[in-house]
């Protein structure tokens, strides 16, 4: 019975460093690279950087049709996804002034062609702005060689260095 009372996700220990939801969402929207964590071979975690897009509580990224990422997702749909917004090294303080977001959710390979098309267009718009016509050609040409993964976010937190928190307070 005790396990039923525990929250599904841990609360952040250093609550002062918790970012507001709108700032965390902005990190997900504007970040260029996210680090995906999946259940890898022989229960070793597998983490890999990916380009991605974010929209309405979902993260999308593209992948080859086979490989370590997809195998891990098919083995266990629970994933984590980290985006680092800022990481300024401050050598004389032996620290870094960081800001990041970590999302937890369920990943699935998109089978709906309209969702796949939309996700590919989001990625093209984000990484190749102003090249919509050229992007449409690439999407059409690579359609059968690419998979889209959708992460439905179940929990997300943003955190920043205490030094940044204190700087805002003063």
């Amino acid at each position: 019975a005790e396990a039923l009372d525990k929250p599904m996700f841990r609360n952040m220990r250093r609550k002062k460093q918790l970012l507001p939801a709108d700032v965390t969402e902005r990190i997900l929207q504007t970040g260029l690279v996210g680090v995906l964590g999946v259940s890898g071979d022989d229960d070793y975690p597998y983490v890999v950087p990916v380009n991605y897009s974010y929209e309405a509580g979902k993260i999308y990224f593209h992948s080859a049709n086979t490989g370590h990422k997809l195998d891990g997702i098919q083995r266990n749909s629970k994933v984590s996804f980290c985006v680092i917004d800022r990481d300024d090294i401050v050598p004389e303080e032996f620290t870094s002034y960081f800001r990041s977001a970590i999302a937890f959710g369920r990943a699935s390979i998109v089978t709906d062609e309209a969702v796949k098309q939309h996700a590919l267009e989001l990625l093209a718009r984000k990484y190749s702005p102003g090249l919509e016509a050229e992007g449409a050609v690439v999407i059409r040409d690579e359609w059968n060689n690419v998979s889209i993964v959708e992460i439905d976010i179940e929990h997300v937190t943003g955190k920043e260095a205490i030094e940044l928190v204190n700087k805002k307070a003063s």
Side-chain angles (χ1 to χ4, degrees):
E2 184 180 317
L4 296 175
D5 297 333
K6 290 185 180 178
M8 190 165 142
F9 295 99
R10 292 180 183 211
N11 291 322
M12 188 178 296
R13 282 185 315 110
R14 298 183 174 188
K15 295 189 187 326
K16 279 187 182 177
Q17 294 176 254
L18 182 66
L19 290 171
D22 63 324
V23 175
T24 300
E25 186 167 38
R26 190 166 55 249
I27 291 170
L28 293 176
Q29 288 169 339
T30 61
L32 296 177
V33 177
V35 180
L36 172 72
V38 301
S39 177
D41 297 343
D42 293 324
D43 294 326
Y44 281 99
Y46 178 67
V47 294
V48 60
V50 296
N51 295 123
Y52 72 97
S53 61
Y54 168 83
E55 183 181 66
K58 296 184 185 304
I59 294 168
Y60 300 98
F61 63 89
H62 73 292
S63 172
N65 289 325
T66 60
H68 206 159
K69 289 187 300 273
L70 297 188
D71 289 348
I73 289 165
Q74 289 169 334
R75 181 175 22 260
N76 181 349
S77 67
K78 293 178 181 178
V79 300
S80 64
F81 193 84
C82 177
V83 177
I84 299 168
D85 178 59
R86 177 178 179 177
D87 191 21
D88 304 327
I89 305 299
V90 185
E92 61 277 7
E93 294 180 28
F94 296 90
T95 192
S96 68
Y97 293 1
F98 67 88
R99 185 178 299 119
S100 62
I102 299 179
F104 298 89
R106 302 276 180 158
S108 60
I109 299 162
V110 172
T111 56
D112 181 304
E113 291 196 355
V115 175
K116 180 178 178 179
Q117 179 72 32
H118 179 67
L120 288 167
E121 289 170 356
L122 285 174
L123 288 162
R125 219 173 10 254
K126 180 175 181 177
Y127 293 99
S128 301
L131 299 172
E132 287 79 13
E134 296 87 341
V137 171
V138 172
I139 289 170
R140 186 186 67 235
D141 291 349
E142 295 298 321
W143 186 263
N144 293 323
N145 301 321
V146 68
S147 290
I148 286 291
V149 175
E150 175 185 277
I151 301 172
D152 186 14
I153 297 175
E154 297 177 330
H155 181 70
V156 63
T157 57
K159 183 178 178 182
E160 68 182 347
I162 192 66
E163 294 85 357
L164 296 176
V165 173
N166 292 340
K167 194 180 286 188
K168 283 190 279 190
S170 61

